[in-house]
Amino acid sequence: MNIGMLWFDNDPKAEIATKIERAAAYYHKKYGTVPNLCFIHPSMVNNGSLKAQDDKLKSGNVEVRTTRSVLPNHFWIGVNGTSN
């Protein structure tokens, strides 16, 4: 993913999957494209609301990957395969 949107959500009552769904809905509304990839901080995976599918973490149709480059409570969301 070369281009994406940074989303912040620190709602302590919401599960990670819900936060990703919120970010994806906003991304779709704003850019007219459905996102399929989201990067989160590794510490956020322990929430338990993400589902493993084909050895990948998923939230709905969004693949979830971890990176320490993204701070906790932040979501780097966009479309996989975008290139310039």
Side-chain angles (χ1 to χ4, degrees):
M1 176 170 65
N2 294 327
I3 299 173
M5 176 187 79
L6 186 62
W7 178 264
F8 176 76
D9 190 336
N10 67 344
D11 180 356
K13 296 179 182 177
E15 294 183 342
I16 298 301
T18 302
K19 294 177 182 187
I20 293 171
E21 290 171 16
R22 290 179 194 164
Y26 182 83
Y27 185 97
H28 182 240
K29 181 179 176 184
K30 183 170 178 80
Y31 300 108
T33 304
V34 177
N36 61 5
L37 180 59
C38 182
F39 289 95
I40 62 174
H41 191 270
S43 67
M44 297 171 63
V45 173
N46 298 331
N47 179 281
S49 64
L50 300 175
K51 304 210 181 328
Q53 185 177 20
D54 299 327
D55 294 330
K56 296 179 182 178
L57 290 175
K58 300 277 273 188
S59 175
N61 292 326
V62 179
E63 180 183 348
V64 180
R65 297 183 192 169
T66 61
T67 180
R68 294 199 181 278
S69 299
V70 176
L71 295 173
N73 298 316
H74 289 75
F75 303 82
W76 183 249
I77 191 163
V79 178
N80 191 15
T82 303
S83 62
N84 285 345

